[in-house]
Amino acid sequence: MTNTAGPGRPRDAEVDRKALRAAIELYAELGWAKFTLDAVARRAGIGKAAIYRRWPTRERLVAAALEQALVLPVIAVDTGTLREDLRGLAHAMMAYYLGPHGLAGLRLHVEARAYPELFAELAAGIRSMRVLEARAIIRRAIDRGELGRNASPTLIVDTLVGGLLNHVLATPEELRPEMAAQSEQYVEDVTAFVLTAAIAIYPPA
Amino acid sequence: MTNTAGPGRPRDAEVDRKALRAAIELYAELGWAKFTLDAVARRAGIGKAAIYRRWPTRERLVAAALEQALVLPVIAVDTGTLREDLRGLAHAMMAYYLGPHGLAGLRLHVEARAYPELFAELAAGIRSMRVLEARAIIRRAIDRGELGRNASPTLIVDTLVGGLLNHVLATPEELRPEMAAQSEQYVEDVTAFVLTAAIAIYPPA
């Protein structure tokens, strides 16, 4: 390890950051079949030795990159109202789908089936965190008396988050910049749409 | 071509069917990087020569398989009411997401970015057909006076179709059989949820 790095040499944290970023990008773009430590080193603009020293195998590197990008940043929204919690969740998910990690997340879902030994656990980790977070939002709304006891977290969160995902997936490549520019408004519209249905279908007692 | 095939030899249509089915399965599971004509021949249980004679390159075979599985079967729902149109669309999309082609469709979206020269046009074709179909459903509902003139096809269809997609993606692998068994009920619930919001937010004049 090079904790004694001088000014002409990037420090460890910087090397880590560049390598993990390049790894998530390459995984998203090319998938596991074409993922190599050499390609990551080239993309990151750092030496192969620095990569191999930290992550001796491509399995370890891709797991580290996915964990840091997708598993660790849990979206924890707790604002005190259902509307603001749903807005916060929707904004965070839209930023994720539009950002560099959205494609990696979709790729991970696809590849968890092809390479379960490598990706199934990571995909499951992301799923269960998202489900717990969504349930917590609806549970708190029920406890505050904003929704009836029978409110379905699944239905409310699937339509909110899935609505955003479908919007991004259904947009033609050439309209992506326009869609991204209007995404804040779309997040507001989807939140209002889902909230209206939730309150109408699950009114508080 | 072997149109004179005798009883001991599968006829052309049968060979086509087996090859295209094996191709879509292998593409979904392994992706483009590992897709080979040899693997398709093995999976289909037919001779390599039969594959090569029909599709001389893997590019041609994957395009034919994706087109047949994803582009050709347009979902055209026109029942006369918004509720039944949305139900029909939702049932068709759920069957697609749960069936063998759902994974291929997600893979195609992911790989359209990595290999645009191969997959971008196919992905765009699917997108535009789905968008046109969705718009037609909402347009007819407006014309029948079921929704106001300002009704947004995007918002209604994104939450409906995206809700189903998110439901399938968010379900842990071990709960998939249970989710599939309850999918008809979930389709009904999502349809009712989205319809409630649509009518509340875009009431007819």
Side-chain angles (χ1 to χ4, degrees):
Chain A
M1 293 295 153
T2 54
N3 278 322
T4 55
R9 183 162 183 178
R11 279 170 310 171
D12 273 12
E14 178 72 5
V15 171
D16 281 5
R17 202 185 56 72
K18 282 188 180 172
L20 292 172
R21 188 198 173 110
I24 202 85
E25 286 175 4
L26 282 172
Y27 173 74
E29 290 166 23
L30 300 178
W32 180 241
K34 293 200 160 183
F35 186 90
T36 65
L37 293 180
D38 286 5
V40 173
R42 272 197 307 278
R43 168 76 61 110
I46 53 186
K48 277 190 241 180
I51 304 274
Y52 282 93
R53 198 162 55 230
R54 287 168 171 79
W55 303 281
T57 65
R58 62 184 199 130
E59 283 81 1
R60 292 233 210 138
L61 174 54
V62 84
L66 287 167
E67 196 151 338
Q68 201 224 27
L70 306 177
V71 179
L72 295 183
V74 188
I75 299 157
V77 185
D78 184 4
T79 64
T81 69
L82 176 59
R83 173 183 296 273
E84 291 306 311
D85 277 8
L86 292 181
R87 280 187 71 216
L89 178 64
H91 277 287
M93 290 307 293
M94 191 58 149
Y96 165 68
Y97 290 138
L98 288 177
H101 298 155
L103 192 59
L106 263 192
R107 166 83 73 181
L108 176 63
H109 273 299
V110 172
E111 299 209 325
R113 303 278 201 89
Y115 309 99
E117 70 289 357
L118 261 172
F119 297 117
E121 202 175 322
L122 278 163
I126 296 174
R127 272 197 209 100
S128 71
M129 277 185 338
R130 297 241 173 97
V131 168
L132 290 177
E133 170 68 7
R135 276 200 200 137
I137 288 177
I138 305 307
R139 173 60 45 202
R140 291 193 304 263
I142 292 172
D143 289 345
R144 283 189 302 258
E146 293 186 86
L147 292 175
R149 294 254 148 232
N150 62 337
S152 160
T154 312
L155 202 47
I156 297 169
V157 175
D158 281 343
T159 48
L160 184 76
V161 173
L164 301 173
L165 173 60
N166 199 70
H167 192 63
V168 173
L169 288 180
T171 300
E173 209 54 48
E174 69 273 17
L175 295 181
R176 259 183 96 87
E178 196 182 324
M179 182 266 289
Q182 298 171 354
S183 66
E184 295 286 297
Q185 185 57 51
Y186 196 72
V187 163
E188 297 295 329
D189 292 346
V190 172
T191 305
F193 188 90
V194 167
L195 193 65
T196 298
I199 292 170
I201 292 186
Y202 309 115
Chain B
M1 292 296 152
T2 55
N3 279 321
T4 55
R9 184 162 182 177
R11 278 168 311 171
D12 272 13
E14 177 73 6
V15 172
D16 282 3
R17 201 184 56 73
K18 282 187 181 171
L20 291 172
R21 188 199 171 108
I24 202 85
E25 285 174 5
L26 282 172
Y27 174 73
E29 290 167 23
L30 300 179
W32 180 240
K34 292 201 163 183
F35 186 89
T36 65
L37 293 180
D38 286 3
V40 172
R42 273 197 305 277
R43 168 77 62 109
I46 53 187
K48 275 189 242 179
I51 304 273
Y52 282 93
R53 199 160 54 230
R54 286 169 171 80
W55 302 281
T57 65
R58 64 185 197 127
E59 282 82 0
R60 291 232 211 140
L61 174 55
V62 84
L66 287 168
E67 196 152 338
Q68 203 224 26
L70 305 178
V71 180
L72 294 183
V74 190
I75 299 156
V77 185
D78 185 3
T79 63
T81 69
L82 176 59
R83 173 182 295 274
E84 290 306 311
D85 277 8
L86 292 181
R87 279 187 71 217
L89 177 65
H91 277 287
M93 290 307 293
M94 191 58 148
Y96 165 70
Y97 290 137
L98 289 176
H101 298 154
L103 192 60
L106 263 193
R107 167 82 73 180
L108 176 62
H109 273 298
V110 172
E111 299 208 327
R113 303 277 201 90
Y115 309 98
E117 69 290 357
L118 260 174
F119 296 118
E121 202 176 320
L122 278 162
I126 296 173
R127 273 198 209 100
S128 71
M129 279 185 337
R130 297 240 174 97
V131 169
L132 289 176
E133 171 68 9
R135 277 199 201 140
I137 288 176
I138 304 309
R139 175 58 46 200
R140 290 194 303 264
I142 293 172
D143 289 345
R144 283 189 302 258
E146 294 186 86
L147 292 175
R149 295 253 147 234
N150 63 335
S152 160
T154 312
L155 202 48
I156 297 170
V157 175
D158 281 344
T159 48
L160 183 76
V161 172
L164 301 172
L165 173 59
N166 200 69
H167 192 63
V168 173
L169 288 181
T171 299
E173 209 55 48
E174 68 274 17
L175 295 181
R176 259 183 96 86
E178 195 182 325
M179 181 265 291
Q182 298 171 354
S183 66
E184 296 285 298
Q185 185 57 51
Y186 195 72
V187 163
E188 297 296 329
D189 293 346
V190 173
T191 306
F193 188 90
V194 168
L195 194 65
T196 297
I199 293 171
I201 293 185
Y202 309 115

